[in-house]
């Protein structure tokens, strides 16, 4: 047993024990592709979109007020400054707890309902270098989502496949396989020039991620779609898609 106190002044008791309730779930055929985003936290290949709760944004005014009060206190070991510091910590703890609760509910549902979950191998550290989107990306907690998904999959006998981060899931038509030349972030729906099918950008990406992940699961490698060469000739480039536990 471990007793600890966090920065917000809350006490916790942690018990180390064996949990007989964590057992592999019955095998099933269901599989799902997951596309992470900011407008919607997650988009599934089934067409379902999970709303981004934006916990940090909702408590941003409360956090700013608490931080201003702390900044006005004289530095030192005074009781007033310690009280203000705990107030800031409580706001941070509220944001963290609500975010973690949301991710636990989502990941548990995905693991229970699917045998295979396919995600993108995102490099969140590099994405956070985007100064305009860093705060929103940090609030989305994509790394924590993946961590939860992977350890729950190990618990319950499920499989998580990470598709190569360079796989062009958004630009690839999931109906006919045609690769678009460009796909700006502001384009949320588009129509394929080859087959005429209109796609929701995020749902289309999730379906392509699922297809690529199932290819990895079946043969251990995947083939990227055709890209146009500078001379106008199409060329197929075969590269392995990353598979992770």
């Amino acid at each position: 047993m471990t007793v600890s106190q966090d920065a917000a002044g809350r006490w916790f008791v942690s018990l180390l024990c064996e949990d007989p309730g964590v057992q592999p779930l019955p095998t099933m055929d269901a599989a799902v592709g997951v596309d992470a985003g900011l407008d919607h936290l997650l988009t599934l290949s089934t067409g379902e979109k999970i709303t981004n709760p934006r916990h940090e944004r909702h408590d941003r005014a409360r956090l700013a007020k608490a931080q201003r009060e702390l900044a006005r206190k004289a530095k030192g070991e005074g009781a007033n400054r310690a009280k203000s510091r705990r107030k800031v910590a409580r706001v941070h703890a509220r944001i963290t707890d609500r975010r973690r609760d949301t991710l636990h509910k989502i990941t548990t549902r995905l693991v229970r309902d699917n045998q295979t979950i396919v995600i993108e191998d995102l490099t969140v550290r590099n994405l956070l270098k985007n100064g305009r989107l860093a705060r929103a990306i940090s609030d989305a907690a994509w790394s924590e989502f993946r961590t939860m998904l992977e350890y729950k999959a190990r618990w319950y006998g499920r499989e998580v496949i990470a598709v190569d981060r360079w796989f062009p899931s958004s630009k690839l038509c999931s109906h006919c396989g045609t690769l678009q030349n460009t796909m700006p972030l502001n384009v949320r729906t588009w129509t394929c020039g080859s087959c005429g099918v209109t796609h929701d950008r995020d749902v289309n990406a999730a379906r392509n991620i699922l297809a690529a992940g199932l290819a990895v699961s079946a043969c251990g490698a995947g083939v990227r779609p055709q890209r146009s060469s500078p001379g106008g000739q199409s060329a197929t480039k075969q590269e392995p898609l990353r598979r992770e536990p």
Side-chain angles (χ1 to χ4, degrees):
M1 181 178 69
T2 303
V3 180
S4 60
Q5 183 184 31
D6 67 2
R10 304 179 301 177
W11 289 93
F12 295 89
V13 177
S14 299
L15 302 176
L16 179 62
C17 60
E18 293 184 3
D19 186 358
V22 179
Q23 298 291 336
L25 295 172
T27 303
M28 58 196 312
D29 296 329
V32 67
V34 182
D35 178 61
L38 295 178
D39 290 338
H40 293 88
L41 182 63
L42 301 171
T43 301
L44 308 184
S45 56
T46 58
E48 179 185 355
K49 293 187 175 184
I50 299 175
T51 303
N52 187 353
R54 302 181 186 274
H55 297 297
E56 188 272 338
R57 176 183 290 183
H58 289 169
D59 278 346
R60 189 173 297 174
R62 180 181 301 181
L63 178 60
K65 181 181 178 181
Q67 289 174 331
R68 286 195 299 269
E69 292 178 357
L70 175 61
R72 287 196 293 266
K73 300 296 187 292
K75 293 184 179 180
E77 300 299 329
N80 287 338
R81 183 173 177 82
K83 183 178 178 181
S84 296
R85 188 167 55 247
R86 283 195 299 271
K87 188 173 182 180
V88 173
R90 282 197 296 269
V91 179
H92 279 297
R94 169 185 164 89
I95 295 171
T96 301
D97 290 347
R98 295 175 69 190
R99 181 188 297 126
R100 186 175 294 122
D101 179 69
T102 298
L103 293 178
H104 270 303
K105 291 175 180 177
I106 294 172
T107 52
T108 297
R109 178 166 70 89
L110 288 175
V111 168
R112 286 179 176 173
D113 295 346
N114 300 278
Q115 180 67 34
T116 304
I117 304 106
V118 187
I119 59 176
E120 287 183 286
D121 182 25
L122 297 175
T123 309
V124 178
R125 181 180 302 176
N126 291 339
L127 293 175
L128 290 175
K129 295 177 182 178
N130 184 330
R132 193 165 57 89
L133 298 176
R135 198 166 190 172
I137 293 173
S138 178
D139 191 27
W142 293 333
S143 293
E144 188 171 5
F145 163 76
R146 177 172 177 173
T147 299
M148 290 184 179
L149 198 63
E150 289 179 337
Y151 77 69
K152 290 181 182 181
R154 289 194 297 269
W155 281 357
Y156 298 113
R158 302 308 198 200
E159 183 180 23
V160 175
I161 300 173
V163 173
D164 191 296
R165 64 176 65 93
W166 302 114
F167 180 71
S169 58
S170 297
K171 298 191 294 182
L172 182 67
C173 175
S174 59
H175 186 262
C176 69
T178 300
L179 182 67
Q180 308 302 307
N181 292 327
T182 60
M183 187 65 60
L185 286 175
N186 63 329
V187 176
R188 308 316 302 174
T189 59
W190 58 279
T191 301
C192 178
S194 297
C195 64
V197 175
T198 299
H199 296 288
D200 177 285
R201 179 193 181 103
D202 298 331
V203 175
N204 177 69
R207 289 171 178 168
N208 285 325
I209 290 170
L210 173 61
L214 293 180
V216 170
S217 180
C219 61
V223 179
R224 288 190 180 181
Q226 292 187 346
R227 297 177 180 270
S228 297
S229 62
Q233 299 293 328
S234 62
T236 301
K237 182 178 181 181
Q238 183 170 355
E239 295 183 21
L241 295 177
R242 181 173 303 173
R243 182 178 182 181
E244 297 182 10

